[in-house]
Amino acid sequence: MAETETHQHVDPHDEDVHDANYQAPPEKTIEEIMAADQEDESLRRYKEALLGAAQTETIIVDPNDPRKVIVKKLALVVEGRDDMELDLSGDISHLKKQIFVIKEGVQYKVRIDFIVQREIVHGLKYVQKTYRMGVPVDKMTHMVGSYPPKKEIQFYLTPAEEAPSGMVSRGTYSVSSVFTDDDKHIHLKWDWTFEIKKDWA
């Protein structure tokens, strides 16, 4: 599963999380994937290893949820500290009020926990836009990869980022996060908040 990341300052007019020039490959079912290239033994073995139990049964974790991707949790991961977590499985409208405190200059990673069910999902992407006092200050795009259905929770961990530091950088930031894919399906979109402080307290 390829993982690439871009990190850039955002254009205030850029509200689209997708590259308008990018054409995604056609969406394929598990049956179509397994039926293709059967004469290529190494490719067949690779696909069997990738898909696992999904080859022989339809993996459905939550029969009441029609989605292919169910995003469960976002966590801020800092070495030596307990993970700071946002529960994304329920009502996400209140998450903006739950403020993460981040010590300035610290190295942190973002972890997304999710479930894939029913069908393989292609080209998952995590896009995070950060604002301060309503002004866009940063945008990150992480190519997460393609994932097969599994009964277990799967996760993606971003490369390490460094929190801003210095008196000017301290304060409250609002974040808009989107978990999407090559086929422009918005699996989940949520807003949350963090505050840069001189220390963790």
Side-chain angles (χ1 to χ4, degrees):
M1 286 171 278
E3 297 176 359
T4 59
E5 179 258 349
T6 60
H7 182 86
Q8 64 190 50
H9 289 291
V10 66
D11 182 330
H13 303 292
D14 175 22
E15 290 302 324
D16 187 8
V17 298
H18 301 285
D19 184 346
N21 297 318
Y22 174 69
Q23 293 294 321
E27 197 171 355
K28 290 186 177 181
T29 65
I30 290 172
E31 289 79 6
E32 289 170 333
I33 291 169
M34 291 306 298
D37 306 306
Q38 279 296 306
E39 69 280 359
D40 188 328
E41 181 69 14
S42 62
L43 185 56
R44 185 180 63 80
R45 287 179 184 167
Y46 167 75
K47 289 190 290 189
E48 287 176 353
L50 173 68
L51 292 170
Q55 303 168 80
T56 55
E57 62 175 310
T58 302
I59 304 294
I60 298 178
V61 177
D62 185 350
N64 297 317
D65 195 324
R67 294 177 295 173
K68 289 197 296 184
V69 179
I70 304 171
V71 186
K72 304 290 286 184
K73 188 183 296 182
L74 177 143
L76 286 181
V77 180
V78 177
E79 188 174 350
R81 295 185 64 85
D82 292 339
D83 293 349
M84 297 175 279
E85 299 181 342
L86 279 181
D87 182 2
L88 302 174
S89 60
D91 179 10
I92 60 174
S93 63
H94 67 282
L95 296 180
K96 287 185 285 188
K97 300 175 184 176
Q98 182 180 335
I99 300 176
F100 285 146
V101 172
I102 303 176
K103 180 181 177 180
E104 64 178 5
V106 77
Q107 294 280 323
Y108 71 94
K109 299 178 181 180
V110 176
R111 192 188 76 240
I112 311 289
D113 293 352
F114 58 94
I115 288 173
V116 177
Q117 62 174 6
R118 303 180 189 277
E119 283 291 346
I120 193 170
V121 62
H122 302 280
L124 280 173
K125 181 191 300 182
Y126 174 63
V127 180
Q128 176 179 301
K129 295 180 180 181
T130 305
Y131 302 81
R132 189 174 187 191
M133 293 181 288
V135 177
V137 294
D138 196 54
K139 177 183 176 182
M140 295 187 300
T141 299
H142 296 278
M143 301 307 299
V144 176
S146 298
Y147 287 76
K150 280 188 179 180
K151 293 179 180 176
E152 301 81 22
I153 287 179
Q154 305 186 70
F155 71 91
Y156 172 74
L157 189 65
T158 70
E161 296 285 338
E162 184 174 314
S165 60
M167 188 176 296
V168 174
S169 297
R170 293 172 202 155
T172 302
Y173 294 78
S174 59
V175 185
S176 177
S177 291
V178 180
F179 209 49
T180 181
D181 63 25
D182 274 351
D183 299 303
K184 299 187 179 181
H185 298 139
I186 302 296
H187 300 294
L188 193 67
K189 185 174 183 177
W190 68 100
D191 296 319
W192 52 289
T193 305
F194 67 85
E195 185 175 357
I196 302 293
K197 289 191 173 185
K198 189 173 182 179
D199 212 330
W200 292 107

